[in-house]
Amino acid sequence: MSDSKPAQRQVIPEEILLARLAQSDEMREFFIQMWIQNPQLAKQGGARVRELLTPLESK
């Protein structure tokens, strides 16, 4: 059994956090567009991909 130390808390600078969030959003948009353009590929993604591609219902 290895001696593991408890994880130390680290503060992520806001600039890095915002950059990573923006990159994540860009990647999400890229994959959604790829799935829209290639429905066969989207079918391989299963239920979660279908959920992402389904527009939100207006209330």
Side-chain angles (χ1 to χ4, degrees):
M1 185 183 226
S2 65
D3 294 323
S4 60
K5 298 179 183 179
Q8 291 184 358
R9 289 186 137 193
Q10 294 183 351
V11 176
I12 299 173
E14 183 177 2
E15 179 181 293
I16 292 175
L17 175 68
L18 293 175
R20 289 184 181 170
L21 286 173
Q23 182 182 28
S24 177
D25 195 44
E26 289 172 8
M27 290 174 60
R28 181 184 60 82
E29 286 295 326
F30 169 79
F31 280 106
I32 288 172
Q33 289 303 314
M34 186 174 61
W35 291 324
I36 288 171
Q37 294 172 12
N38 189 341
Q40 285 301 111
L41 183 61
K43 286 181 183 178
Q44 294 175 8
R48 182 65 181 132
V49 170
R50 280 193 304 277
E51 289 174 17
L52 289 170
L53 295 176
T54 304
L56 295 174
E57 293 181 24
S58 301
K59 291 188 177 184

